[in-house]
């Protein structure tokens, strides 16, 4: 359940032409041959300085100083982040940056995770790999999120970059174990192979056996999302000949007994462990149950622990030997009761990141609050995501967290009921919050104690949490809540809205009042043409706007497209939609330096 990063990605640093200003220093503008030498000297100096500049934001600013800085920044940037694969073409990337070694590329918008986008929408990695294969033969790292990746793409990647070291695929699809096998076989210097929440087809290929037979460079191997059996003997051998392995996350086909064998083999250096299945499997029990606690006791360096799929409760105490050192604990796949959970969490005094299912109940959250004083990030997911389910966590758990974990910076909280009082308390107790995402799963649910809208609670969050950059709202909200967002949410960059608001004025408050807004996600809300037009002064400076099941007309969307030619306006429907339909089912708008994409499927109309 990965989180979208919040780094800004302004388009200015990818322009094919440098900035031009008549007022820049003469040292930055070469106007005659007599200035060739000083400019050359300055260029060498700049190269040596800019190589120490790591922040993307700082580099973007440096590229805008003058023509020379623009040129040198392009020559020295080795890492490139692109927040939308359709914001520019691969050719523009290679033209602008000549020495890229690392690419982080995002495809589909986040709402695709909730089945709000039809299959085969796009975000294909193929044109990027083929272009980079020619321009960047020295490429070392590719980090993809929500992209469509085929086995052929992975094969081309493995064959084109002899020094390739890191492949990270988050929420990607289209590939299978055959493609992974090619990467394992041909990328001899591979350090990181992380498959995170991706859909991986089982091609019945023994990909684990494809790694080099001698000592490997592996530092991180994560395949917990791969729904296919693995060759455990090959995995055991791989771990044994990977002395640099620090992170290992196993899938549910690796049993607890097999995990024990791996830990005894390679435990000393591991810092991050995903346990796979937390049940014994089919091993015989002729000599009594193995001492699983002893295996974990050997993991003296583990600080991040996750997995626990198919959990057998009687074995959970085995992890107690590592709990005292844990800074990150993920129980988001484990249905754990409060009685099972509390003995574990009471030993986790150093915990900074904690994810869990709501099965731990308010009682479990109270135990977290009492123990984890260093907690920075909390995510509580629903065991039963139905809107009419009986949620076991409520405002009681949230208020306990706010009182006990005052260093909290990021919160994702699914529940069925909430109160304004709990949110107000959190806004006062946790002023360092930068991310606040509250999902009240029932639609239009008010404060369950007073019956009032949740306006004042969310208003307190945006008013008192002055570092807030990401906000997700839910429950019964009127336009007043959005007025608070526009008035106080000056740093908000990502806003997610579902089933909220009274009128177009709500969205207008946000678009006119949140100057740093980059990503706007809206579903099932009463916002129409007036609301959409109110943000036309902002859309060029935003990464994207997503609106589904709102009240937008096709005519208004066409007007926006005509008025903003550098904005791509996509209308997404189904294959059998009438092209002359009056209202828009889904609108997806994003800025692009190279115009509309060429691979739009039939159900996408680009205005």
């Amino acid at each position: 359940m990965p989180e979208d990063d919040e780094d800004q990605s302004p388009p200015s640093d990818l322009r094919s032409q440098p900035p031009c200003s008549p007022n820049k220093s003469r040292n930055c503008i070469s106007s005659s041959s007599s200035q060739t030498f000083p400019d050359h000297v300055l260029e060498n100096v700049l190269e040596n300085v800019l190589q120490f500049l790591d922040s993307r934001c700082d580099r973007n600013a440096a590229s805008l100083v003058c023509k020379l800085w623009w040129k040198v920044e392009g020559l020295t940037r080795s890492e490139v982040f692109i927040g939308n694969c359709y914001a520019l073409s691969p050719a523009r990337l290679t033209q602008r940056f000549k020495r890229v070694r690392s690419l982080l590329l995002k495809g589909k918008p986040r709402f695709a995770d909730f089945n709000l986008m039809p299959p085969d929408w796009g975000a294909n990695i193929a044109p990027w790999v083929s272009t980079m294969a020619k321009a960047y033969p020295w490429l070392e790292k590719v980090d993809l999120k929500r992209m469509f990746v085929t086995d052929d793409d992975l094969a081309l990647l493995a064959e084109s970059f002899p020094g390739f070291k890191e492949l990270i695929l988050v929420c990607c699809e289209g590939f299978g174990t055959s493609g992974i096998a090619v990467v394992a076989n041909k990328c001899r210097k591979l350090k990181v192979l992380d498959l995170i929440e991706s859909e991986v087809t089982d091609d019945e290929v023994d990909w684990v056996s494809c790694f080099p037979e001698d000592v490997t460079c592996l530092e991180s191997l994560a395949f917990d999302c791969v729904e296919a059996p693995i060759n455990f003997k090959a995995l055991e051998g791989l771990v044994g000949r990977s002395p640099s392995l620090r992170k290992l996350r196993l899938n549910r086909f690796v049993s607890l007994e097999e995990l024990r064998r791996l830990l005894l083999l390679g435990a000393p250096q591991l810092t991050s462990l995903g346990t796979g299945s937390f049940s014994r499997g089919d091993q015989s029990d002729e000599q009594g149950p193995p001492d699983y606690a002893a295996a974990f006791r050997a993991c003296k360096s583990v600080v991040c622990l996750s997995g626990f799929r198919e959990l057998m409760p009687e074995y959970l105490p085995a992890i107690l030997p590592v709990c005292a050192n844990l800074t990150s604990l993920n129980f988001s796949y484990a249905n754990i009761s409060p009685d099972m959970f509390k003995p574990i969490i009471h030993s986790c005094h150093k915990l900074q990141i904690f994810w869990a299912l709501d099965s731990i109940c308010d009682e479990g959250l109270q135990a977290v609050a009492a123990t984890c004083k260093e907690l920075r990030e909390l995510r509580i997911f629903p065991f039963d995501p139905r809107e009419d389910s009986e949620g076991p966590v409520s405002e009681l758990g949230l208020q306990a967290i706010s009182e006990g974990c005052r260093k909290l910076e990021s919160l994702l909280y699914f529940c069925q009921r909430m109160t304004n009082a709990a949110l107000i308390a959190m806004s006062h107790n946790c002023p360092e919050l930068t991310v606040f995402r509250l999902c009240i799963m029932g639609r239009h649910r008010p404060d369950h104690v007073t019956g009032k809208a949740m306006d004042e609670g969310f208003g307190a969050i945006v008013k008192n949490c002055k570092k807030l950059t990401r906000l997700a709202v839910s429950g019964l909200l009127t336009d007043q809540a959005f007025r608070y967002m526009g008035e106080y949410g000056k740093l908000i960059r990502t806003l997610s809205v579902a089933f909220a608001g009274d009128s177009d004025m709500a969205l207008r408050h946000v678009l006119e009042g949140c100057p740093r807004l980059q990503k706007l996600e809206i579903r099932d809300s009463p916002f129409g043409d007036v609301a959409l037009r109110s943000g036309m002064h902002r859309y060029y400076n935003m990464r994207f706007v997503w609106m589904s099941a709102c009240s937008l007309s096709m005519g208004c969307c066409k007007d926006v497209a005509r008025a903003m030619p550098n904005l791509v306006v996509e209308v997404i429907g189904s294959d059998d939609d009438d092209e002359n339909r009056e209202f828009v089912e889904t609108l997806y708008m994003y800025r692009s330096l190279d115009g509309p994409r060429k691979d739009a499927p039939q159900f996408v109309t680009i205005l």
Side-chain angles (χ1 to χ4, degrees):
M1 302 175 184
E3 173 123 356
D4 282 345
D5 71 56
E6 291 298 305
D7 290 317
Q8 192 170 357
S9 178
S12 54
D13 63 318
L14 284 161
R15 294 178 304 182
S16 58
Q17 297 298 324
C20 184
S21 172
N23 298 319
K24 299 298 179 183
S25 164
R26 64 179 182 271
N27 288 330
C28 293
I29 303 176
S30 179
S31 58
S32 66
S33 59
S34 63
Q35 290 183 316
T36 300
F37 178 73
D39 274 359
H40 176 70
V41 172
L42 180 56
E43 183 173 328
N44 290 335
V45 172
L46 279 175
E47 282 198 32
N48 289 318
V49 171
L50 292 181
Q51 66 177 331
F52 296 106
L53 209 57
D54 296 325
S55 165
R56 290 194 290 265
C57 188
D58 290 344
R59 279 191 162 273
N60 292 344
S63 71
L64 297 177
V65 172
C66 64
K67 291 181 179 180
L68 183 59
W69 282 58
W70 179 90
K71 174 186 174 183
V72 175
E73 196 282 318
L75 290 173
T76 58
R77 187 181 296 216
S78 61
E79 299 180 1
V80 172
F81 166 76
I82 300 173
N84 178 359
C85 65
Y86 290 121
L88 69 150
S89 66
R92 182 181 292 270
L93 168 70
T94 57
Q95 179 184 9
R96 172 72 178 92
F97 301 114
K98 306 297 185 182
R99 303 175 185 174
V100 172
R101 293 183 177 273
S102 172
L103 174 68
L104 195 163
L105 182 63
K106 292 186 176 183
K108 297 178 180 179
R110 192 182 67 92
F111 270 15
D113 295 347
F114 303 96
N115 298 319
L116 294 178
M117 177 171 281
D120 304 321
W121 174 79
N124 300 299
I125 189 59
W128 294 89
V129 175
S130 60
T131 301
M132 292 189 299
K134 301 173 183 176
Y136 307 138
W138 49 77
L139 193 72
E140 296 178 352
K141 178 180 178 180
V142 171
D143 187 343
L144 305 178
K145 190 168 187 177
R146 300 189 188 95
M147 297 290 293
F148 190 85
V149 183
T150 68
D151 290 338
D152 289 339
D153 297 329
L154 293 178
L156 180 58
L157 182 148
E159 294 167 356
S160 301
F161 309 115
F164 194 75
K165 297 177 180 179
E166 298 185 40
L167 177 63
I168 303 172
L169 303 178
V170 182
C171 298
C172 294
E173 59 183 334
F175 64 99
T177 51
S178 297
I180 299 302
V182 175
V183 172
N185 178 256
K186 295 193 175 182
C187 299
R188 314 297 286 186
K189 298 181 180 180
L190 194 65
K191 292 183 177 181
V192 177
L193 177 58
D194 286 354
L195 311 175
I196 303 171
E197 293 191 32
S198 293
E199 296 182 14
V200 185
T201 303
D202 180 10
D203 301 324
E204 299 184 353
V205 173
D206 182 9
W207 60 274
V208 178
S209 298
C210 294
F211 283 92
E213 295 182 357
D214 52 358
V215 175
T216 78
C217 303
L218 269 182
E219 298 175 2
S220 176
L221 177 63
F223 60 95
D224 45 328
C225 65
V226 179
E227 287 294 318
I230 60 124
N231 181 340
F232 178 73
K233 185 177 180 180
L235 178 62
E236 199 172 22
L238 177 62
V239 171
R241 61 181 188 275
S242 301
S244 299
L245 193 65
R246 297 293 181 268
K247 181 170 78 171
L248 178 63
R249 295 187 180 177
L250 309 168
N251 68 2
R252 67 181 182 87
F253 293 92
V254 179
S255 70
L256 186 55
E257 170 59 24
E258 291 171 330
L259 172 65
R260 184 184 73 87
R261 291 166 57 182
L262 289 175
L263 294 183
L264 294 177
L265 179 68
Q269 73 270 20
L270 287 179
T271 60
S272 180
L273 173 65
T275 65
S277 173
F278 216 72
S279 57
R280 286 201 64 194
D282 299 327
Q283 286 78 11
S284 64
D285 196 16
E286 297 177 357
Q287 300 179 350
D291 187 356
Y292 296 120
F296 279 96
R297 197 173 295 116
C299 303
K300 297 179 180 179
S301 301
V302 169
V303 294
C304 300
L305 192 59
S306 61
F308 304 101
R309 299 165 190 260
E310 303 175 356
L311 174 70
M312 294 182 69
E314 60 267 32
Y315 295 123
L316 191 58
I319 71 171
L320 281 170
V322 301
C323 287
N325 289 327
L326 291 181
T327 60
S328 176
L329 178 60
N330 185 346
F331 278 149
S332 62
Y333 291 99
N335 183 14
I336 303 177
S337 69
D339 291 338
M340 296 161 51
F341 172 69
K342 287 191 292 183
I344 300 298
I345 201 64
H346 284 155
S347 300
C348 300
H349 295 279
K350 295 182 180 180
L351 210 60
Q352 296 183 23
I353 300 172
F354 178 57
W355 296 12
L357 292 177
D358 58 9
S359 60
I360 66 172
C361 302
D362 288 331
E363 185 181 350
L365 289 172
Q366 290 165 349
V368 173
T371 305
C372 308
K373 302 302 180 181
E374 298 298 317
L375 197 68
R376 301 300 199 276
E377 178 181 327
L378 174 66
R379 298 193 191 187
I380 300 298
F381 301 97
F383 176 72
D384 183 355
R386 294 177 301 175
E387 292 184 15
D388 58 352
S389 64
E390 290 293 329
V393 298
S394 67
E395 77 281 357
L396 298 179
L398 189 69
Q399 184 138 357
I401 291 293
S402 74
E403 293 172 356
C405 307
R406 300 198 174 215
K407 297 180 181 180
L408 196 67
E409 298 174 0
S410 177
L411 176 74
L412 172 61
Y413 197 84
F414 284 83
C415 62
Q416 289 287 357
R417 58 191 186 277
M418 187 51 61
T419 64
N420 283 302
L423 298 192
I424 293 170
M426 172 152 277
S427 75
H428 291 297
N429 293 332
C430 303
E432 298 299 310
L433 277 171
T434 60
V435 176
F436 185 83
R437 295 190 286 167
L438 175 64
C439 181
I440 305 172
M441 289 184 287
R443 305 184 186 190
H444 310 294
R445 291 197 174 178
D447 182 315
H448 83 96
V449 173
T450 67
K452 295 182 179 180
M454 295 295 298
D455 297 342
E456 298 305 318
F458 281 103
I461 292 292
V462 295
K463 181 178 181 180
N464 298 322
C465 302
K466 301 185 185 303
K467 298 180 181 180
L468 198 68
T469 60
R470 184 173 185 179
L471 176 66
V473 299
S474 56
L476 180 62
L477 294 175
T478 71
D479 290 354
Q480 178 64 24
F482 293 86
R483 188 182 73 80
Y484 288 139
M485 295 175 207
E487 183 175 356
Y488 299 111
K490 301 305 179 184
L491 298 183
I492 292 178
R493 300 190 62 250
T494 302
L495 176 63
S496 303
V497 179
F499 307 100
D502 292 328
S503 68
D504 289 334
M505 185 56 68
L507 189 53
R508 183 172 179 179
H509 286 313
V510 170
L511 290 168
E512 294 182 354
C514 300
R516 299 197 180 183
L517 191 64
Q518 284 283 302
K519 295 181 279 188
L520 180 61
E521 307 167 331
I522 303 172
R523 60 166 297 189
D524 297 275
S525 297
F527 306 142
D529 296 349
V530 173
L532 185 64
R533 287 193 172 98
S534 69
M536 291 180 65
H537 64 295
R538 296 294 319 284
Y539 297 145
Y540 275 152
N541 295 319
M542 295 174 64
R543 189 184 297 177
F544 70 79
V545 175
W546 170 283
M547 297 179 70
S548 61
C550 293
S551 301
L552 300 174
S553 73
M554 181 66 77
C556 177
C557 294
K558 289 181 177 179
D559 290 343
V560 172
R562 279 192 292 266
M564 309 187 74
N566 293 326
L567 192 72
V568 177
V569 180
E570 292 193 8
V571 173
I572 303 173
S574 56
D575 288 328
D576 56 355
D577 273 349
D578 182 0
E579 293 184 359
N580 297 317
R581 58 190 180 274
E582 182 179 355
F583 291 99
V584 170
E585 179 180 333
T586 299
L587 174 71
Y588 180 43
M589 301 191 305
Y590 52 90
R591 63 194 182 199
S592 176
L593 297 175
D594 291 298
R597 59 189 176 116
K598 304 298 190 294
D599 63 348
Q602 184 177 353
F603 55 79
V604 172
T605 302
I606 299 181
L607 304 179

